[in-house]
Amino acid sequence: MKLLASPDSIVTRLGGIYALERIMYESEKDRETAIEVLTGFMRTHVRATTGEGLLPHQDHVPDDLQAAADVIGRRPDKGIHQHENSLVAFTQDPDWRPLVPLDLRRAELAGIRLEKALLYRADLRQAELTGADLSYAKCAEAEFHEARAQGAKFHGADVSPADFSGADLRGADLSTADVSFTIFAGARLDGATFSTYANISPRLCVGASMVGVTGISDDLRKSLKEFVARIDDAEPGQ
């Protein structure tokens, strides 16, 4: 933990991050503490930002922040049966334990790479995710309430169910993502990309802005008009 607090040496902080990863693999009783230390480091890793994300001179994600994200994303959790009944999961695997929730509220993660990351039930409320890459991430039941995720990539991600209420997803890529039962109420989805087979629930999109959304079917677009605040009559360019 002291290694992560080093204010001057990124090498020292990287050493602390990978030491915590080793603890997660070698000591199940200390795994939750290691995860909490890493997510605490990510929450308090401050970078200068503007309302649109990183300042021009800080478009590179710091190596220590990205390393912490990599370790968290591939953590060795026993909760592999997270979508099943707990009793059934325990019967199948006596060592099963529920996934340790990730607390990343208000974390500044613009541009972070979290491809294929295990983010089940992660708390990313009001997080800065502008330009982040969460392609193929496992985000079921994650909370993205009021997150800033302009231009973020959720391509192929499992975000069903996940809560994006009030989030800023302008220009986000949600193509091939599982968005059935995903909550988009009050979200800004202008210019976002979905897939023609996207099973978006209109009732979960009340008050959302979807101007310039591409990829959704004409039938879904018609159904959404009854519930969302704004949406085009047809896909832009048609």
Side-chain angles (χ1 to χ4, degrees):
M1 295 183 187
K2 291 182 179 179
L3 297 179
L4 288 183
S6 173
D8 303 316
S9 174
I10 190 171
V11 174
T12 301
R13 294 195 297 275
L14 287 171
I17 290 166
Y18 293 124
L20 286 169
E21 181 175 31
R22 186 170 61 251
I23 289 172
M24 286 194 291
Y25 276 94
E26 295 178 353
S27 176
E28 187 169 332
K29 69 181 181 65
D30 295 318
R31 184 174 300 160
E32 184 170 354
T33 299
I35 290 172
E36 289 176 350
V37 171
L38 282 170
T39 53
F41 172 76
M42 293 173 71
R43 287 196 308 274
T44 56
H45 197 294
V46 178
R47 293 184 287 167
T49 60
T50 67
E52 298 300 321
L54 291 178
L55 290 173
H57 65 284
Q58 292 193 326
D59 57 354
H60 171 69
V61 177
D63 291 339
D64 51 352
L65 180 59
Q66 184 59 57
D70 291 341
V71 169
I72 285 294
R74 62 177 180 247
R75 67 195 187 284
D77 244 306
K78 282 290 184 180
I80 57 174
H81 309 289
Q82 62 262 36
H83 293 296
E84 299 181 16
N85 178 278
S86 297
L87 179 60
V88 174
F90 184 79
T91 301
Q92 293 178 349
D93 180 2
D95 294 325
W96 178 86
R97 297 292 183 278
L99 283 168
V100 177
L102 303 179
D103 184 358
L104 293 169
R105 289 171 294 173
R106 295 180 290 279
E108 295 183 7
L109 304 175
I112 203 80
R113 300 187 306 278
L114 285 164
E115 306 101 312
K116 300 181 180 179
L118 182 57
L119 299 174
Y120 175 71
R121 287 187 176 176
D123 189 345
L124 287 145
R125 288 176 291 174
Q126 299 181 341
E128 172 60 73
L129 293 165
T130 298
D133 190 347
L134 290 87
S135 300
Y136 301 102
K138 299 175 179 63
C139 304
E141 298 187 31
E143 295 186 58
F144 294 91
H145 176 68
E146 294 186 350
R148 298 176 298 281
Q150 305 98 304
K153 298 177 183 177
F154 290 91
H155 175 78
D158 178 6
V159 290
S160 175
D163 184 357
F164 286 95
S165 58
D168 189 345
L169 291 157
R170 289 175 292 170
D173 180 4
L174 289 138
S175 58
T176 73
D178 182 357
V179 293
S180 53
F181 307 110
T182 303
I183 300 171
F184 291 117
R188 301 177 69 182
L189 288 153
D190 305 317
T193 302
F194 290 90
S195 297
T196 54
Y197 53 82
N199 189 22
I200 303 172
S201 173
R203 294 182 182 275
L204 297 179
C205 298
V206 174
S209 179
M210 302 182 75
V211 174
V213 164
T214 60
I216 62 175
S217 67
D218 291 339
D219 288 342
L220 177 56
R221 191 179 296 274
K222 292 175 183 177
S223 298
L224 285 165
K225 289 186 69 175
E226 182 181 348
F227 297 92
V228 303
R230 298 185 301 162
I231 190 170
D232 308 279
D233 290 329
E235 184 168 320
Q238 292 187 350

mmCIF file of all heavy atoms in Angstrom, residues 67-87:
data_model
loop_
_atom_site.group_PDB
_atom_site.id
_atom_site.type_symbol
_atom_site.label_atom_id
_atom_site.label_comp_id
_atom_site.label_asym_id
_atom_site.label_seq_id
_atom_site.Cartn_x
_atom_site.Cartn_y
_atom_site.Cartn_z
ATOM 1 N N ALA A 67 -2.317 0.313 -15.620
ATOM 2 C CA ALA A 67 -1.903 -0.952 -15.011
ATOM 3 C C ALA A 67 -2.901 -1.402 -13.949
ATOM 4 O O ALA A 67 -3.256 -2.590 -13.872
ATOM 5 C CB ALA A 67 -0.503 -0.805 -14.396
ATOM 6 N N ALA A 68 -3.371 -0.462 -13.134
ATOM 7 C CA ALA A 68 -4.372 -0.799 -12.115
ATOM 8 C C ALA A 68 -5.658 -1.298 -12.768
ATOM 9 O O ALA A 68 -6.278 -2.257 -12.303
ATOM 10 C CB ALA A 68 -4.651 0.410 -11.235
ATOM 11 N N ALA A 69 -6.058 -0.656 -13.869
ATOM 12 C CA ALA A 69 -7.256 -1.083 -14.591
ATOM 13 C C ALA A 69 -7.076 -2.476 -15.171
ATOM 14 O O ALA A 69 -7.996 -3.310 -15.138
ATOM 15 C CB ALA A 69 -7.574 -0.087 -15.702
ATOM 16 N N ASP A 70 -5.897 -2.768 -15.700
ATOM 17 C CA ASP A 70 -5.625 -4.095 -16.256
ATOM 18 C C ASP A 70 -5.732 -5.172 -15.175
ATOM 19 O O ASP A 70 -6.323 -6.233 -15.387
ATOM 20 C CB ASP A 70 -4.222 -4.137 -16.872
ATOM 21 C CG ASP A 70 -4.107 -3.283 -18.128
ATOM 22 O OD1 ASP A 70 -5.158 -2.954 -18.717
ATOM 23 O OD2 ASP A 70 -2.970 -2.953 -18.504
ATOM 24 N N VAL A 71 -5.153 -4.888 -14.019
ATOM 25 C CA VAL A 71 -5.169 -5.859 -12.921
ATOM 26 C C VAL A 71 -6.596 -6.087 -12.429
ATOM 27 O O VAL A 71 -7.014 -7.231 -12.201
ATOM 28 C CB VAL A 71 -4.263 -5.379 -11.770
ATOM 29 C CG1 VAL A 71 -4.473 -6.238 -10.521
ATOM 30 C CG2 VAL A 71 -2.799 -5.421 -12.208
ATOM 31 N N ILE A 72 -7.358 -4.996 -12.284
ATOM 32 C CA ILE A 72 -8.746 -5.118 -11.838
ATOM 33 C C ILE A 72 -9.565 -5.895 -12.868
ATOM 34 O O ILE A 72 -10.388 -6.747 -12.530
ATOM 35 C CB ILE A 72 -9.366 -3.720 -11.610
ATOM 36 C CG1 ILE A 72 -8.840 -3.118 -10.312
ATOM 37 C CG2 ILE A 72 -10.880 -3.780 -11.600
ATOM 38 C CD1 ILE A 72 -9.274 -3.869 -9.055
ATOM 39 N N GLY A 73 -9.348 -5.603 -14.144
ATOM 40 C CA GLY A 73 -10.138 -6.238 -15.189
ATOM 41 C C GLY A 73 -9.929 -7.723 -15.306
ATOM 42 O O GLY A 73 -10.824 -8.452 -15.744
ATOM 43 N N ARG A 74 -8.747 -8.211 -14.918
ATOM 44 C CA ARG A 74 -8.472 -9.652 -15.035
ATOM 45 C C ARG A 74 -8.373 -10.335 -13.667
ATOM 46 O O ARG A 74 -7.809 -11.419 -13.553
ATOM 47 C CB ARG A 74 -7.165 -9.855 -15.805
ATOM 48 C CG ARG A 74 -5.918 -9.262 -15.145
ATOM 49 C CD ARG A 74 -4.664 -9.584 -15.937
ATOM 50 N NE ARG A 74 -3.465 -9.034 -15.329
ATOM 51 C CZ ARG A 74 -2.720 -8.072 -15.864
ATOM 52 N NH1 ARG A 74 -3.061 -7.549 -17.024
ATOM 53 N NH2 ARG A 74 -1.631 -7.643 -15.249
ATOM 54 N N ARG A 75 -8.927 -9.698 -12.643
ATOM 55 C CA ARG A 75 -8.800 -10.233 -11.288
ATOM 56 C C ARG A 75 -9.355 -11.654 -11.188
ATOM 57 O O ARG A 75 -10.332 -12.005 -11.851
ATOM 58 C CB ARG A 75 -9.500 -9.323 -10.273
ATOM 59 C CG ARG A 75 -11.013 -9.273 -10.403
ATOM 60 C CD ARG A 75 -11.568 -8.093 -9.609
ATOM 61 N NE ARG A 75 -13.013 -8.091 -9.559
ATOM 62 C CZ ARG A 75 -13.792 -7.727 -10.568
ATOM 63 N NH1 ARG A 75 -13.260 -7.353 -11.718
ATOM 64 N NH2 ARG A 75 -15.111 -7.746 -10.449
ATOM 65 N N PRO A 76 -8.747 -12.489 -10.353
ATOM 66 C CA PRO A 76 -9.135 -13.903 -10.235
ATOM 67 C C PRO A 76 -10.293 -14.114 -9.283
ATOM 68 O O PRO A 76 -10.138 -14.694 -8.220
ATOM 69 C CB PRO A 76 -7.857 -14.551 -9.704
ATOM 70 C CG PRO A 76 -7.269 -13.482 -8.825
ATOM 71 C CD PRO A 76 -7.577 -12.170 -9.516
ATOM 72 N N ASP A 77 -11.474 -13.601 -9.639
ATOM 73 C CA ASP A 77 -12.621 -13.763 -8.753
ATOM 74 C C ASP A 77 -13.221 -15.142 -8.889
ATOM 75 O O ASP A 77 -13.233 -15.735 -9.960
ATOM 76 C CB ASP A 77 -13.694 -12.716 -9.067
ATOM 77 C CG ASP A 77 -13.902 -11.776 -7.893
ATOM 78 O OD1 ASP A 77 -14.158 -12.303 -6.806
ATOM 79 O OD2 ASP A 77 -13.792 -10.556 -8.058
ATOM 80 N N LYS A 78 -13.750 -15.653 -7.790
ATOM 81 C CA LYS A 78 -14.400 -16.953 -7.790
ATOM 82 C C LYS A 78 -15.847 -16.868 -8.262
ATOM 83 O O LYS A 78 -16.515 -17.883 -8.397
ATOM 84 C CB LYS A 78 -14.370 -17.564 -6.380
ATOM 85 C CG LYS A 78 -13.023 -18.180 -6.009
ATOM 86 C CD LYS A 78 -12.779 -19.435 -6.805
ATOM 87 C CE LYS A 78 -11.487 -20.107 -6.361
ATOM 88 N NZ LYS A 78 -11.254 -21.342 -7.142
ATOM 89 N N GLY A 79 -16.347 -15.665 -8.483
ATOM 90 C CA GLY A 79 -17.756 -15.522 -8.828
ATOM 91 C C GLY A 79 -18.057 -15.794 -10.279
ATOM 92 O O GLY A 79 -18.696 -15.001 -10.955
ATOM 93 N N ILE A 80 -17.587 -16.909 -10.798
ATOM 94 C CA ILE A 80 -17.778 -17.213 -12.216
ATOM 95 C C ILE A 80 -19.224 -17.547 -12.534
ATOM 96 O O ILE A 80 -19.616 -17.548 -13.689
ATOM 97 C CB ILE A 80 -16.870 -18.372 -12.662
ATOM 98 C CG1 ILE A 80 -17.137 -19.620 -11.802
ATOM 99 C CG2 ILE A 80 -15.403 -17.978 -12.572
ATOM 100 C CD1 ILE A 80 -16.379 -20.838 -12.271
ATOM 101 N N HIS A 81 -20.017 -17.844 -11.518
ATOM 102 C CA HIS A 81 -21.419 -18.202 -11.745
ATOM 103 C C HIS A 81 -22.331 -17.038 -11.364
ATOM 104 O O HIS A 81 -23.417 -17.242 -10.833
ATOM 105 C CB HIS A 81 -21.802 -19.441 -10.919
ATOM 106 C CG HIS A 81 -20.871 -20.591 -11.090
ATOM 107 N ND1 HIS A 81 -20.806 -21.325 -12.252
ATOM 108 C CD2 HIS A 81 -19.954 -21.121 -10.257
ATOM 109 C CE1 HIS A 81 -19.894 -22.283 -12.112
ATOM 110 N NE2 HIS A 81 -19.368 -22.181 -10.918
ATOM 111 N N GLN A 82 -21.900 -15.809 -11.629
ATOM 112 C CA GLN A 82 -22.614 -14.655 -11.094
ATOM 113 C C GLN A 82 -24.052 -14.541 -11.565
ATOM 114 O O GLN A 82 -24.858 -13.888 -10.926
ATOM 115 C CB GLN A 82 -21.872 -13.353 -11.439
ATOM 116 C CG GLN A 82 -21.745 -13.050 -12.919
ATOM 117 C CD GLN A 82 -20.406 -13.468 -13.456
ATOM 118 O OE1 GLN A 82 -19.883 -14.482 -13.019
ATOM 119 N NE2 GLN A 82 -19.862 -12.726 -14.387
ATOM 120 N N HIS A 83 -24.406 -15.173 -12.681
ATOM 121 C CA HIS A 83 -25.769 -15.051 -13.191
ATOM 122 C C HIS A 83 -26.655 -16.191 -12.696
ATOM 123 O O HIS A 83 -27.802 -16.300 -13.087
ATOM 124 C CB HIS A 83 -25.762 -15.023 -14.721
ATOM 125 C CG HIS A 83 -25.118 -13.805 -15.278
ATOM 126 N ND1 HIS A 83 -25.619 -12.544 -15.087
ATOM 127 C CD2 HIS A 83 -23.981 -13.636 -15.997
ATOM 128 C CE1 HIS A 83 -24.847 -11.659 -15.680
ATOM 129 N NE2 HIS A 83 -23.850 -12.297 -16.230
ATOM 130 N N GLU A 84 -26.129 -17.064 -11.854
ATOM 131 C CA GLU A 84 -26.891 -18.206 -11.385
ATOM 132 C C GLU A 84 -27.306 -18.022 -9.925
ATOM 133 O O GLU A 84 -26.771 -17.179 -9.208
ATOM 134 C CB GLU A 84 -26.069 -19.490 -11.525
ATOM 135 C CG GLU A 84 -25.662 -19.804 -12.964
ATOM 136 C CD GLU A 84 -24.879 -21.101 -13.047
ATOM 137 O OE1 GLU A 84 -24.927 -21.878 -12.084
ATOM 138 O OE2 GLU A 84 -24.226 -21.326 -14.073
ATOM 139 N N ASN A 85 -28.223 -18.843 -9.494
ATOM 140 C CA ASN A 85 -28.600 -18.879 -8.097
ATOM 141 C C ASN A 85 -27.374 -19.214 -7.247
ATOM 142 O O ASN A 85 -26.611 -20.118 -7.567
ATOM 143 C CB ASN A 85 -29.703 -19.930 -7.903
ATOM 144 C CG ASN A 85 -30.112 -20.058 -6.459
ATOM 145 O OD1 ASN A 85 -29.458 -20.742 -5.687
ATOM 146 N ND2 ASN A 85 -31.204 -19.413 -6.103
ATOM 147 N N SER A 86 -27.182 -18.506 -6.144
ATOM 148 C CA SER A 86 -25.987 -18.696 -5.325
ATOM 149 C C SER A 86 -25.858 -20.121 -4.805
ATOM 150 O O SER A 86 -24.763 -20.687 -4.740
ATOM 151 C CB SER A 86 -26.005 -17.712 -4.148
ATOM 152 O OG SER A 86 -25.967 -16.389 -4.606
ATOM 153 N N LEU A 87 -26.974 -20.735 -4.425
ATOM 154 C CA LEU A 87 -26.929 -22.104 -3.907
ATOM 155 C C LEU A 87 -26.447 -23.065 -4.990
ATOM 156 O O LEU A 87 -25.626 -23.952 -4.736
ATOM 157 C CB LEU A 87 -28.312 -22.527 -3.400
ATOM 158 C CG LEU A 87 -28.420 -23.956 -2.838
ATOM 159 C CD1 LEU A 87 -27.467 -24.115 -1.660
ATOM 160 C CD2 LEU A 87 -29.853 -24.231 -2.406
#
